[in-house]
Amino acid sequence: MALVTKSIKGTQDTLPSESYKIQFVEQSVLEIAKNYGYKEIRVPVFEHTELFQRGVGDTTDVVQKEMYTFEDKGGRSITLRPEGTAGVVRSYIEHGLFNEAQPQKVCYLISCYRYEKPQAGRLREFHQFGCECFGTASPAADAELISLVNDIFAFLDVKNLKIQINSIGCPECRKNYHKALQEYFESKKDELCGTCLGRLERNPMRILDCKSPICSEIAKDAPKVTDYLCDECDEHFKKVQQYLDAMNIPYEVNPSIVRGLDYYTKTVFEFVSTEIGAQGTVCGGGRYDGLVEEIGGNHTPALGFAMGMERLLLLMQAQGIEFPPEAKCDLYIATMGDDALGKAMNLAASMREFGYYAEFDLMNRGIKAQMKYANKLGAAFTLVLGDNELSEGKAKLKEMKTGEETEILLDDKFTVNFDAVYFDKLMEGLEEQEVLGAFGKKEND
Ligand code: ATP
Ligand code: MG
């Protein structure tokens, strides 16, 4: 019997004490993508199985081994998305986004599902941030996309990532390349794994991406795709490198990158770390000029990337990167008796209207226990309300850090008065730079 108090293998929870980290990362990536003109798109978690078979490619590991596929009650074959691009392309075609101004730049934060062997940086439910850019064949778009990923890592202060790029050509140059690969692997046929034997005829390039140690050893000496590029693809790849140079973005050409999904053409790239173990690819992407047509739209050059959020967080933690601290309670109102509780609710409501984080007792605790809770919350200020305070219409506002008390009227100017004390204390206690930061935060609130 399933143990219902244990999560399913390969899935994980984000607990309330940790969620501020991923929230910060998500807000950051959306903000940076916005500066490049990307707008968020939201698509369903599940799609027709055939979309992924066609979009991701039925000779890939993802389609052959890793998809969560089931029949729904209406007899449809449904698959939980293993990646984001296919669904976004479907949406681009379905909603005629090709009629809008091109390029169409869209981005997404999604969960993905792959039946893989769970290990560090490899889950069965994981999360991606992705960007897709439709309608441009220009190599400048490839370079801009790599620059966007580079900006994200720079903003998050992530270091030591290697940018590896390659070109895997177009269907034209790939014909010759496939022939060369087939000749090469034919001679090693006896050593290839079963899956790769099947790939030899249909899609020999997939063998280069096989995770089996024997296949990857054989693949090391295979012919290099960059030696088989047609003039147009070769020129495109040179331009991409020229633009990256112009932007001072360091990269390496790695002819062994082919990426795990079938739809790529021309430029492919990965951002790789050596600091989080075997699953070091934090971001992967490239151009997919044939995909929109493959899925049923008009020929549309396009490109994109996806970044693994769990791997990104692992890397940020490995590098000891500090996240902006989560919001602490601004005011805790301790109460004695029901009338005081009513007043506390009233004061807290006006505090929250101003954008302050305020709490009061919901546990029917004594004053001492309430103060203990306020400490746990890290409350900046506390206020104790009892019968005396209510009858006099004023109470003592206590700054928790210093223990200093200020008398404050419990009238309808309460929040304005609190504001004044709050900023006074802030000015006393903080360096100029920090004060500016704090003001900035309140404006955003
Ligand atoms: P890998 O070679 O590590 O299996 P992939 O080529 O299958 O990766 P993509 O399909 O390109 O990965 O997905 C983009 C990114 O999503 C990866 O670079 C990685 O950061 C993340 N990712 C992919 N699969 C997983 C997974 N099972 N668990 C966590 N993150 C993943
Ligand atoms: Mg994979």
Side-chain angles (χ1 to χ4, degrees), residues 3 21 168 177:
L3 185 57
K21 296 179 184 172
I168 57 171
Y177 183 52

Side-chain angles (χ1 to χ4, degrees), residues 1 10 32 38 88 103 111 155 164 175 189 246 342 344 360 383 392 397 412 439 441:
M1 203 175 70
I32 289 166
Y38 284 82
V88 169
S111 58
F155 180 84
Q164 307 198 324
K175 274 187 207 152
K189 219 170 163 177
F360 47 80
L383 190 75
E392 283 168 23
L397 187 63
D412 53 6
F439 275 114
K441 177 187 162 271

